[in-house]
Amino acid sequence: MPDQKPPANVHRCTIKNLPLEHGVLGEITVEGENAAQCIDQIVRLLKRKSRPRKSGRGAPPPTSPTDFLDAAIERYISDLTRRKVGLTYIQLHRQTLGIMLAVIGNKSLASVTGDDVRRTLDSFKFWPKNARRIPAMKELSFAEILDIGKRLTPPPINAETYNNHVRRLNAFFNTQEDADRSFRSPAQGIAKEINTSTAIKSRRPLSASDLEKIFEIEAYSKWSKDKPHRWWGPLLALYTGARVSEIAQLRTTDIHTVDGVSCICIQVTTTGQRLKNGSSIRAIPIAQPLLDANFLTYVDEVRATGQDRLFPHLPLSVTVKDGEAYVNGYGSTLVQQFSRYIKKHGFKKGIGSHVFRHTFATNLTKEKVRAVQIAALTGHTVVGAPSESVSVPGLLSYIDRGMCPPELRACAETLSKFYPGIEIPVYTPGQFAKALSRKSKFHK
């Protein structure tokens, strides 16, 4: 039979495009005297059913594939901020994701395709170097900056820069996938890093003549006068391969001697200390040249002041932006001070304190030391190596009990093969007595 129109006295209610937690309901029509009440009950029931179930773990509601890209990006950046990661880290993620948004437009997550990802990857070459530091570009949108970049002759994009963009894209989409298992990352199989294993590295280790220039006793003593962190920071960086941020945050309780082996424990034991990742937790034997240069004497002098921080004159650097405080760590000041120092001694721009870490690893490699053994000292992760052979946080529990595990002695044997080709300056007991007596200048 053909459809018949309802009688004029029959009530009809229709609702269209009802937004729910996980999507949009197209259309519902109800006829009858109580149509309006029925519609109201149906809407209440659907909304109640679509709410995320409460969990004892307090899990956040899953990301909906119908969410638009700009909202998902803002939520992702907000989560990074909540994790208390560094400001630079957040700004770089915002830049990568902002470029993607400018290239493919604001669309729902579910509609982002592999071709969108490809277009984004191809666009990174048009982003001018340090664009946000150029006064004329500071207030421009991502799209406007890309338009300017497209009118210029783009230089070949640095492989490391490209790979960093790829990592950020993958991290963003993987997070969305973790939040909603019905969503599949459009970057899978597409956003791959460039293999740089055979690329020529621009970073070179310091030569013996470079080190002699840095540690020339007269200039070095003058630069580090009344500032213990300047004296010991570069020396520790040279002989441990540790990051300056790890050295700057050390406490006297991180220095141990067990069974005749003195070591520095890289760990987090209090507020303000931070590590890059799990592999960063490690124990580094103190090289004999540092012991001969009276490093432990300095440690005892700091302990005598009642201060726990090994370098109490270094402040905890914090950046405040848009009402949020971002902790930079204790190392920022020392990095800046050392950078200015070596520039005055003729070193080119781009060479800083991190070059000690590169020098340390390169010299050990020349001595035929395996990557896994070097990583145990530097806190790197070796791809394809058993995790327990690299990450050795278990050493710390032995050290806390006053025991020296065989792994620590193996690390000491590895370290004994490192020789940078110079004799380092020796610390004079009491050299920083004046600085250590000014407790008002100490930072927590």
Side-chain angles (χ1 to χ4, degrees), residues 9-69:
N9 62 344
V10 175
H11 298 280
R12 171 184 286 177
C13 283
T14 300
I15 185 168
K16 297 181 179 181
N17 300 326
L18 175 66
L20 299 173
E21 184 69 26
H22 301 296
V24 177
L25 186 64
E27 180 177 325
I28 297 178
T29 299
V30 177
E31 295 179 355
E33 292 183 1
N34 298 319
Q37 291 89 337
C38 288
I39 281 286
D40 182 62
Q41 290 178 1
I42 291 171
V43 170
R44 290 174 182 272
L45 178 62
L46 289 173
K47 286 193 171 183
R48 186 167 63 250
K49 291 288 187 182
S50 71
R51 288 175 190 157
R53 296 181 180 179
K54 291 184 178 180
S55 167
R57 293 177 295 178
T63 300
S64 171
T66 60
D67 284 354
F68 278 88
L69 199 55

Side-chain angles (χ1 to χ4, degrees), residues 187-312:
Q188 286 186 16
I190 298 169
K192 297 290 187 181
E193 296 180 30
I194 297 173
N195 184 354
T196 59
S197 59
T198 59
I200 298 175
K201 305 297 183 182
S202 59
R203 204 182 282 159
R204 66 171 180 84
L206 294 171
S207 64
S209 60
D210 291 331
L211 293 170
E212 286 174 354
K213 190 184 299 185
I214 291 172
F215 295 109
E216 193 279 315
I217 188 62
E218 186 175 346
Y220 195 69
S221 298
K222 182 179 179 181
W223 175 66
S224 59
K225 182 181 179 181
D226 293 332
K227 293 178 175 58
H229 55 273
R230 291 189 182 182
W231 178 275
W232 287 114
L235 291 172
L236 287 170
L238 175 63
Y239 272 97
T240 63
R243 300 173 180 91
V244 171
S245 58
E246 296 170 337
I247 293 169
Q249 68 184 14
L250 285 173
R251 299 186 173 265
T252 56
T253 49
D254 294 325
I255 315 300
H256 298 267
T257 299
V258 287
D259 291 344
V261 178
S262 297
C263 62
I264 296 171
C265 294
I266 306 295
Q267 57 190 334
V268 172
T269 57
T270 187
T271 303
Q273 289 182 313
R274 300 169 58 189
L275 293 178
K276 186 174 181 179
N277 49 46
S279 298
S280 301
I281 304 172
R282 62 199 189 280
I284 307 173
I286 301 174
Q288 191 60 46
L290 287 175
L291 297 174
D292 295 340
N294 295 322
F295 173 65
L296 293 183
T297 299
Y298 168 75
V299 175
D300 288 338
E301 290 173 353
V302 178
R303 285 176 175 149
T305 68
Q307 266 293 320
D308 186 32
R309 286 200 53 226
L310 189 61
F311 303 115

Side-chain angles (χ1 to χ4, degrees), residues 355-375:
V355 75
F356 286 122
R357 190 166 164 81
H358 187 58
T359 302
F360 181 81
T362 301
N363 273 268
L364 286 176
T365 300
K366 290 178 180 178
E367 296 299 324
K368 310 299 182 185
V369 178
R370 294 171 57 239
V372 170
Q373 295 170 299
I374 297 173

Side-chain angles (χ1 to χ4, degrees), residues 102-176:
V103 170
I104 69 176
N106 193 22
K107 52 171 64 179
S108 68
L109 277 173
S111 65
V112 179
T113 66
D115 285 340
D116 290 327
V117 175
R118 291 183 181 94
R119 288 167 54 203
T120 301
L121 295 173
D122 291 341
S123 71
F124 290 135
K125 64 186 176 185
F126 297 116
W127 187 259
K129 186 177 181 180
N130 297 323
R132 289 301 186 189
R133 296 181 185 178
I134 300 173
M137 295 186 183
K138 279 187 176 181
E139 303 302 323
L140 298 182
S141 68
F142 287 100
E144 290 170 329
I145 294 175
L146 282 174
D147 285 340
I148 292 174
K150 289 175 182 177
R151 293 196 295 268
L152 304 173
T153 302
I157 186 169
N158 179 279
E160 186 176 353
T161 300
Y162 178 86
N163 286 345
N164 286 333
H165 282 302
V166 168
R167 292 185 195 109
R168 294 172 205 139
L169 280 181
N170 281 323
F172 170 73
F173 284 118
N174 289 343
T175 298
Q176 312 312 311

